[in-house]
Amino acid sequence: MPSRKRKSARFKKVAIEWLKWISAIVPICAFFYILYYYKQLDFLQKDKEIESVTTVLGQKDSLNLADAMMKSQVENELKIIENEWHSVGGIAIHNLLIENKADKPAKSVEVEFKYLSDTQEALTTKVITIKKDLPAGKSTRITDVSVGFVNNGAVGCDTKVLGAKF
């Protein structure tokens, strides 16, 4: 009989050790299985590198070509025929005569004023939007346009039409 107790006692001792290890390992394995099932193990994989493709647009694909065509068209259709200006307390006042050769009336005109010194060097450049209807095929006189403060050394002014809204 003593041998039976020893065999069963040894079996119980081994079984209890196995049961301890299994009860510790099974929940951990279940945890990892749940992470795998719900795809939460992404941190173990190497991050994918983001690839970017840069394409250089040619002049035909860019808006610069369209802008250049529009500017040249506006320069041909709208011209400043006369520009009389004087300075009052440092503020430039202009009287302009703008000719509209286009088929449709212009609602506003964007004009660049470049003030020159006595050596014809540009002192300042100002861009003003004149909001006045310019009828098609006619010249329109616009008076008393205030451009802003101008350097007292300015002796001349070049004007140029930059853009227009029809």
Side-chain angles (χ1 to χ4, degrees), residues 1-8:
M1 283 271 228
S3 66
R4 272 191 183 175
K5 283 186 178 180
R6 285 185 189 165
K7 285 185 181 179
S8 65

Side-chain angles (χ1 to χ4, degrees), residues 16-72:
I16 290 173
E17 285 295 318
W18 275 93
L19 189 59
K20 284 181 187 177
W21 281 102
I22 289 175
S23 66
I25 292 174
V26 167
I28 293 171
C29 292
F31 175 72
F32 282 118
Y33 177 74
I34 291 170
L35 288 177
Y36 172 76
Y37 183 77
Y38 288 106
K39 296 180 175 55
Q40 297 296 317
L41 295 173
D42 294 341
F43 64 91
L44 295 176
Q45 296 175 355
K46 186 177 179 182
D47 291 338
K48 294 180 182 176
E49 292 185 23
I50 298 172
E51 296 180 12
S52 63
V53 177
T54 304
T55 57
V56 177
L57 299 176
Q59 191 69 8
K60 294 178 183 175
D61 295 336
S62 66
L63 291 175
N64 291 338
L65 183 62
D67 287 345
M69 288 175 53
M70 193 68 171
K71 283 182 183 178
S72 65

Side-chain angles (χ1 to χ4, degrees), residues 67-78:
D67 287 345
M69 288 175 53
M70 193 68 171
K71 283 182 183 178
S72 65
Q73 183 181 7
V74 167
E75 287 175 359
N76 291 336
E77 293 177 348
L78 292 168

Side-chain angles (χ1 to χ4, degrees), residues 84-147:
E84 297 173 2
W85 74 282
H86 58 280
S87 179
V88 178
I91 297 175
I93 307 293
H94 289 264
N95 295 325
L96 303 169
L97 182 63
I98 300 176
E99 182 181 19
N100 184 4
K101 294 180 185 176
D103 298 336
K104 48 192 170 183
K107 302 216 183 288
S108 66
V109 179
E110 193 172 282
V111 180
E112 177 187 47
F113 297 93
K114 188 184 293 183
Y115 295 98
L116 307 169
S117 67
D118 34 340
T119 60
Q120 298 300 311
E121 182 181 358
L123 294 174
T124 54
T125 302
K126 306 224 179 207
V127 178
I128 302 287
T129 301
I130 300 172
K131 295 182 179 179
K132 183 167 180 168
D133 291 332
L134 302 172
K138 293 185 178 180
S139 297
T140 306
R141 181 162 296 279
I142 302 172
T143 59
D144 298 330
V145 177
S146 174
V147 177

